[in-house]
């Protein structure tokens, strides 16, 4: 059933009239102006206020408003799967923005924040993982070794985050994520990518923790990324705050406008 639904979503995009996901302009999936709003400016370092403990450095492509918000929702909730490519391009720009950090000799390991199984089933796809895969392809085309590693999973159910404040979201997500059994072994023993530009099999070797990039579609309070960083940090024996500086970084397609304003200067 799920495969049939995905096939219908992709086929309907070819057969039905197309309109820009950002503004509704006819006969284009994404117009030039809305595309520029998404990835027309350099990625920027963003920070929510208050910043949750353990939040790593986060780069975002655009504020979550207007056309950018509409495009993300079209892909996430309405099955506009053709938008994954342009969203992945925006995410790849955010990953590249942090490329000069220490420990950059190894491959870029994109770790998507996991969705609840019920949400993935209801949507018929995993939007963050799909965008991450598109970003990894974009990075490889640019000559940067990159691979998506779905290392995280939910260990317990969490309440709907809608309507929750920053403190409530932190409490809701505390301890909610963990590494998969295979993911924990990979991070503890280290890994390397087989080739410089192709996904290829992963081999044992020293893991450059600065190259672990947590990826998500949206940053609001930062609670989800902070919880993901905690799970990764614990797996490699790092303390909560040390994960901010050494174990991983983060990249998102969009962030709340206030997260951009805080870092304006």
């Amino acid at each position: 059933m799920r495969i049939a639904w995905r096939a219908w979503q992709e086929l309907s995009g070819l057969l039905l009239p197309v309109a820009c996901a950002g503004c509704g302009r006819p006969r284009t999936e994404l117009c030039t102006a809305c595309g520029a709003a998404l990835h027309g400016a350099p990625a920027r370092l963003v920070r929510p206020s208050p910043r949750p403990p353990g939040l790593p450095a986060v780069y975002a492509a655009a504020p979550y408003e207007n056309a950018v918000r509409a495009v993300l929702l079209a892909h996430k909730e309405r099955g506009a799967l053709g938008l994954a490519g342009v969203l992945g391009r925006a995410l790849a720009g955010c990953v590249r923005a942090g490329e000069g950090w220490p420990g950059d000799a190894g491959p870029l390991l994109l770790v998507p924040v996991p969705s609840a199984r019920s949400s993935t089933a209801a949507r018929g796809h995993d939007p963050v993982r799909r965008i991450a895969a598109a970003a990894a392809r974009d990075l490889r085309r640019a000559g940067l070794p990159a691979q998506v590693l779905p290392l995280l999973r939910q260990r317990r159910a969490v309440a709907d985050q809608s309507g929750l404040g920053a403190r409530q979201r932190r409490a809701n997500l505390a301890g909610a994520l963990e590494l998969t059994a295979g993911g924990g072994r990979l991070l503890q023993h280290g890994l390397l990518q087989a080739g410089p530009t192709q996904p290829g099999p992963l081999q044992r070797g020293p893991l450059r923790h600065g190259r672990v990039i947590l990826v998500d579609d949206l940053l609001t309070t930062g609670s989800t990324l902070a919880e993901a960083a905690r799970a990764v940090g614990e797996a490699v024996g790092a303390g909560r705050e040390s994960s901010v500086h050494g174990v991983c970084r983060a990249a998102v397609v969009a962030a709340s406008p206030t997260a951009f304003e805080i870092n304006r200067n």
Side-chain angles (χ1 to χ4, degrees):
M1 179 66 72
R2 187 179 301 174
I3 295 175
W5 170 242
R6 289 178 182 173
W8 164 247
Q9 287 177 315
E10 295 178 358
L11 182 62
S12 64
L14 298 174
L15 300 179
L16 301 179
V18 176
C20 174
C23 66
R25 181 175 297 178
R27 291 191 292 276
T28 179
E29 190 170 40
L30 187 69
C31 72
T32 301
C34 292
L38 184 62
H39 51 64
R44 289 175 52 189
L45 189 66
V46 294
R47 178 172 59 86
S49 181
R51 173 174 102 49
L55 180 69
V58 185
Y59 277 82
Y64 185 65
E65 59 186 359
N66 304 326
V68 172
R69 180 179 183 274
V71 171
L72 274 170
L73 287 176
H75 174 262
K76 186 173 188 175
E77 305 294 353
R78 297 198 295 277
L81 305 184
L83 295 170
V86 69
L87 293 170
R89 175 183 168 192
L91 184 63
C94 299
V95 174
R96 282 192 292 266
E99 241 267 298
W101 291 321
D104 59 358
L108 291 164
L109 308 175
L110 308 189
V111 178
V113 171
S115 299
R117 290 184 179 180
S118 58
S119 297
T120 300
R123 293 171 179 142
H125 74 123
D126 186 331
V128 175
R129 190 167 175 177
R130 185 179 290 272
I131 294 171
R137 289 192 295 270
D138 190 274
L139 291 164
R140 291 195 296 270
R141 283 194 293 267
L144 297 172
Q147 184 161 345
V148 178
L149 292 181
L151 303 180
L152 295 171
R153 65 185 177 191
Q154 288 194 348
R155 68 161 56 140
R156 62 169 176 81
V158 297
D160 186 352
Q161 298 270 78
S162 301
L164 298 182
R167 181 177 299 179
Q168 293 170 314
R169 289 190 178 206
R170 288 199 300 271
N172 185 40
L173 289 166
L177 300 181
E178 64 180 1
L179 267 72
T180 63
R185 288 193 295 271
L186 285 174
L187 287 185
Q188 287 172 352
H189 297 296
L191 43 82
L192 285 173
Q193 191 170 4
T197 59
Q198 298 300 321
L202 292 170
Q203 302 172 349
R204 289 189 183 278
L207 174 63
R208 302 288 184 154
H209 295 308
R211 305 284 278 190
V212 174
I213 314 295
L214 300 171
V215 295
D216 205 351
D217 56 352
L218 174 65
L219 177 139
T220 49
T221 67
S223 299
T224 303
L225 286 172
E227 170 60 15
R230 178 207 59 77
V232 173
E234 285 187 359
V236 295
R240 186 176 183 88
E241 283 299 322
S242 67
S243 68
V244 177
H245 304 290
V247 174
C248 60
R249 304 292 190 267
V252 297
V253 176
S256 62
T258 56
F260 280 85
E261 293 168 4
I262 290 170
N263 292 282
R264 188 179 301 279
N265 296 321

